[in-house]
Amino acid sequence: MVPPIPKRGRSNNNEDMISELSDCIIIHILSYLDAKIAVQTCLLSKRWENLWKKIPSLTLDSTQFSTSYKLSTFLSRFSDLRDDSIALRTLDFKLVTRSNEDCQSILSSMPSFQTLTSLKLAVNIRPWDSLKAFFPDYLKFPSLVNLELTNLMFRDRENVGYVEPFSVFKKLNSLILRGCATKNNAKILISSLTLINLTIDNNLPGFSYIELSAPRLSSITLTGTPVAILCERSLAFVKELNFDTNTSPVRRTLLNLLQQFPNIESLTVSACALKVVSLNPDWWKHKLLSMHHLKKLKVKIEPSISFPNGIVDILL
């Protein structure tokens, strides 16, 4: 008698499928876990004892630790015990503290990973969510390519009227600033010979003035509160501008940007911003006609914002 064919998808409950995976696949899976959980997998078996030491990325959430001391100790031990032959490429750090002093103490204990190419750092000081932590300018990451910062404040330590926090990153290609600001409303200088993509999600209190010195910059995204951008010379390499700010002075800010970036090929604006500039249709139409390199114009429609009357005629 022929034995019945097992139903498709049925498996033996005692089958250990994870053990059949190669080390490289397990390490890849571990790289998506929170670092504390990834390290705890060393208790599973002898085989897993050292796998966490080879993960190329580190995801860290401070709420997984009961005290700042335990978090700092974990960072130090993680750096000491991991396999140095495997480069650490990515760090995603969500830090929640009760004071700026506590935040600086934790960040100062963070090793300076020489091979790090991507850093995401988001800080919240509770219970005052509007309070921003000082940017840890003492951290040096010589290989950094992508940097994303959330809710940080930059200080003018030398009292020169401006801050220049990113010039130390000689390989930086992408910079994202969300909810950041400068102390005492100082101007921030973004100076980089390698920067290609810049995103600024500005909210009050945020940046008032940004001075750009980035000759290779090709894409700019601005959201939130409009911010004045100053350039020593027009940035001819900027081909893409995404403009999604929705408060005054939208028209003046947009005009300033279009004047400084004459070679834009792709322009994206929000319906809210378009509604403001449509109050002066002659200006908007004249500005579009003067953009000789423009190939694509996109309007971001929002359900709560009605499309301005007559704007289609202006766009066409």
PDB file of all heavy atoms in Angstrom, residues 21-35:
ATOM      1  N   LEU A  21      19.873  26.893   8.711  1.00  0.00           N
ATOM      2  CA  LEU A  21      20.317  28.119   8.050  1.00  0.00           C
ATOM      3  C   LEU A  21      21.821  28.294   8.210  1.00  0.00           C
ATOM      4  O   LEU A  21      22.409  27.920   9.226  1.00  0.00           O
ATOM      5  CB  LEU A  21      19.597  29.332   8.644  1.00  0.00           C
ATOM      6  CG  LEU A  21      18.073  29.376   8.514  1.00  0.00           C
ATOM      7  CD1 LEU A  21      17.522  30.593   9.236  1.00  0.00           C
ATOM      8  CD2 LEU A  21      17.652  29.395   7.052  1.00  0.00           C
ATOM      9  N   SER A  22      22.426  28.900   7.215  1.00  0.00           N
ATOM     10  CA  SER A  22      23.863  29.178   7.291  1.00  0.00           C
ATOM     11  C   SER A  22      24.115  30.331   8.252  1.00  0.00           C
ATOM     12  O   SER A  22      23.216  31.127   8.560  1.00  0.00           O
ATOM     13  CB  SER A  22      24.403  29.529   5.908  1.00  0.00           C
ATOM     14  OG  SER A  22      23.807  30.733   5.441  1.00  0.00           O
ATOM     15  N   ASP A  23      25.351  30.440   8.712  1.00  0.00           N
ATOM     16  CA  ASP A  23      25.704  31.514   9.639  1.00  0.00           C
ATOM     17  C   ASP A  23      25.452  32.894   9.035  1.00  0.00           C
ATOM     18  O   ASP A  23      24.979  33.809   9.717  1.00  0.00           O
ATOM     19  CB  ASP A  23      27.177  31.396  10.040  1.00  0.00           C
ATOM     20  CG  ASP A  23      27.413  30.280  11.045  1.00  0.00           C
ATOM     21  OD1 ASP A  23      26.431  29.616  11.435  1.00  0.00           O
ATOM     22  OD2 ASP A  23      28.576  30.069  11.431  1.00  0.00           O
ATOM     23  N   CYS A  24      25.756  33.043   7.754  1.00  0.00           N
ATOM     24  CA  CYS A  24      25.610  34.364   7.134  1.00  0.00           C
ATOM     25  C   CYS A  24      24.151  34.805   7.095  1.00  0.00           C
ATOM     26  O   CYS A  24      23.852  36.001   7.245  1.00  0.00           O
ATOM     27  CB  CYS A  24      26.230  34.371   5.738  1.00  0.00           C
ATOM     28  SG  CYS A  24      25.461  33.255   4.562  1.00  0.00           S
ATOM     29  N   ILE A  25      23.229  33.858   6.912  1.00  0.00           N
ATOM     30  CA  ILE A  25      21.803  34.208   6.908  1.00  0.00           C
ATOM     31  C   ILE A  25      21.347  34.584   8.314  1.00  0.00           C
ATOM     32  O   ILE A  25      20.606  35.557   8.504  1.00  0.00           O
ATOM     33  CB  ILE A  25      20.960  33.043   6.351  1.00  0.00           C
ATOM     34  CG1 ILE A  25      21.270  32.834   4.865  1.00  0.00           C
ATOM     35  CG2 ILE A  25      19.469  33.314   6.550  1.00  0.00           C
ATOM     36  CD1 ILE A  25      20.510  31.690   4.235  1.00  0.00           C
ATOM     37  N   ILE A  26      21.792  33.830   9.303  1.00  0.00           N
ATOM     38  CA  ILE A  26      21.419  34.145  10.688  1.00  0.00           C
ATOM     39  C   ILE A  26      21.965  35.510  11.090  1.00  0.00           C
ATOM     40  O   ILE A  26      21.270  36.320  11.715  1.00  0.00           O
ATOM     41  CB  ILE A  26      21.936  33.049  11.640  1.00  0.00           C
ATOM     42  CG1 ILE A  26      21.221  31.722  11.357  1.00  0.00           C
ATOM     43  CG2 ILE A  26      21.722  33.462  13.094  1.00  0.00           C
ATOM     44  CD1 ILE A  26      21.710  30.572  12.206  1.00  0.00           C
ATOM     45  N   ILE A  27      23.198  35.791  10.719  1.00  0.00           N
ATOM     46  CA  ILE A  27      23.798  37.092  11.038  1.00  0.00           C
ATOM     47  C   ILE A  27      23.021  38.217  10.359  1.00  0.00           C
ATOM     48  O   ILE A  27      22.791  39.283  10.946  1.00  0.00           O
ATOM     49  CB  ILE A  27      25.279  37.108  10.608  1.00  0.00           C
ATOM     50  CG1 ILE A  27      26.084  36.154  11.491  1.00  0.00           C
ATOM     51  CG2 ILE A  27      25.852  38.518  10.691  1.00  0.00           C
ATOM     52  CD1 ILE A  27      27.498  35.918  11.006  1.00  0.00           C
ATOM     53  N   HIS A  28      22.583  37.973   9.132  1.00  0.00           N
ATOM     54  CA  HIS A  28      21.782  38.971   8.419  1.00  0.00           C
ATOM     55  C   HIS A  28      20.467  39.232   9.156  1.00  0.00           C
ATOM     56  O   HIS A  28      20.036  40.384   9.288  1.00  0.00           O
ATOM     57  CB  HIS A  28      21.506  38.487   6.997  1.00  0.00           C
ATOM     58  CG  HIS A  28      20.724  39.457   6.169  1.00  0.00           C
ATOM     59  ND1 HIS A  28      21.254  40.635   5.698  1.00  0.00           N
ATOM     60  CD2 HIS A  28      19.426  39.438   5.743  1.00  0.00           C
ATOM     61  CE1 HIS A  28      20.341  41.294   5.013  1.00  0.00           C
ATOM     62  NE2 HIS A  28      19.223  40.590   5.027  1.00  0.00           N
ATOM     63  N   ILE A  29      19.843  38.181   9.658  1.00  0.00           N
ATOM     64  CA  ILE A  29      18.595  38.333  10.417  1.00  0.00           C
ATOM     65  C   ILE A  29      18.857  39.082  11.723  1.00  0.00           C
ATOM     66  O   ILE A  29      18.096  39.984  12.103  1.00  0.00           O
ATOM     67  CB  ILE A  29      17.969  36.952  10.697  1.00  0.00           C
ATOM     68  CG1 ILE A  29      17.532  36.288   9.380  1.00  0.00           C
ATOM     69  CG2 ILE A  29      16.773  37.075  11.639  1.00  0.00           C
ATOM     70  CD1 ILE A  29      17.065  34.859   9.539  1.00  0.00           C
ATOM     71  N   LEU A  30      19.932  38.740  12.402  1.00  0.00           N
ATOM     72  CA  LEU A  30      20.263  39.394  13.672  1.00  0.00           C
ATOM     73  C   LEU A  30      20.495  40.890  13.495  1.00  0.00           C
ATOM     74  O   LEU A  30      20.235  41.681  14.409  1.00  0.00           O
ATOM     75  CB  LEU A  30      21.511  38.754  14.283  1.00  0.00           C
ATOM     76  CG  LEU A  30      21.381  37.329  14.826  1.00  0.00           C
ATOM     77  CD1 LEU A  30      22.713  36.844  15.369  1.00  0.00           C
ATOM     78  CD2 LEU A  30      20.310  37.255  15.902  1.00  0.00           C
ATOM     79  N   SER A  31      20.970  41.282  12.333  1.00  0.00           N
ATOM     80  CA  SER A  31      21.274  42.697  12.103  1.00  0.00           C
ATOM     81  C   SER A  31      20.021  43.565  12.095  1.00  0.00           C
ATOM     82  O   SER A  31      20.113  44.788  12.211  1.00  0.00           O
ATOM     83  CB  SER A  31      22.038  42.866  10.789  1.00  0.00           C
ATOM     84  OG  SER A  31      21.223  42.531   9.681  1.00  0.00           O
ATOM     85  N   TYR A  32      18.837  42.944  11.967  1.00  0.00           N
ATOM     86  CA  TYR A  32      17.581  43.696  11.987  1.00  0.00           C
ATOM     87  C   TYR A  32      16.986  43.786  13.388  1.00  0.00           C
ATOM     88  O   TYR A  32      16.001  44.501  13.596  1.00  0.00           O
ATOM     89  CB  TYR A  32      16.562  43.053  11.042  1.00  0.00           C
ATOM     90  CG  TYR A  32      16.874  43.261   9.584  1.00  0.00           C
ATOM     91  CD1 TYR A  32      17.580  42.304   8.864  1.00  0.00           C
ATOM     92  CD2 TYR A  32      16.483  44.424   8.928  1.00  0.00           C
ATOM     93  CE1 TYR A  32      17.877  42.492   7.521  1.00  0.00           C
ATOM     94  CE2 TYR A  32      16.776  44.623   7.589  1.00  0.00           C
ATOM     95  CZ  TYR A  32      17.476  43.653   6.887  1.00  0.00           C
ATOM     96  OH  TYR A  32      17.774  43.846   5.562  1.00  0.00           O
ATOM     97  N   LEU A  33      17.558  43.061  14.336  1.00  0.00           N
ATOM     98  CA  LEU A  33      17.042  43.066  15.699  1.00  0.00           C
ATOM     99  C   LEU A  33      17.657  44.201  16.507  1.00  0.00           C
ATOM    100  O   LEU A  33      18.728  44.715  16.175  1.00  0.00           O
ATOM    101  CB  LEU A  33      17.351  41.737  16.390  1.00  0.00           C
ATOM    102  CG  LEU A  33      16.755  40.468  15.784  1.00  0.00           C
ATOM    103  CD1 LEU A  33      17.189  39.254  16.606  1.00  0.00           C
ATOM    104  CD2 LEU A  33      15.241  40.548  15.719  1.00  0.00           C
ATOM    105  N   ASP A  34      16.965  44.581  17.583  1.00  0.00           N
ATOM    106  CA  ASP A  34      17.577  45.495  18.534  1.00  0.00           C
ATOM    107  C   ASP A  34      18.845  44.847  19.076  1.00  0.00           C
ATOM    108  O   ASP A  34      18.902  43.630  19.305  1.00  0.00           O
ATOM    109  CB  ASP A  34      16.599  45.784  19.672  1.00  0.00           C
ATOM    110  CG  ASP A  34      17.171  46.767  20.672  1.00  0.00           C
ATOM    111  OD1 ASP A  34      17.036  47.977  20.449  1.00  0.00           O
ATOM    112  OD2 ASP A  34      17.774  46.308  21.669  1.00  0.00           O
ATOM    113  N   ALA A  35      19.881  45.647  19.269  1.00  0.00           N
ATOM    114  CA  ALA A  35      21.195  45.114  19.635  1.00  0.00           C
ATOM    115  C   ALA A  35      21.148  44.282  20.914  1.00  0.00           C
ATOM    116  O   ALA A  35      21.804  43.240  21.010  1.00  0.00           O
ATOM    117  CB  ALA A  35      22.184  46.261  19.794  1.00  0.00           C
TER     118      ALA A  35
END
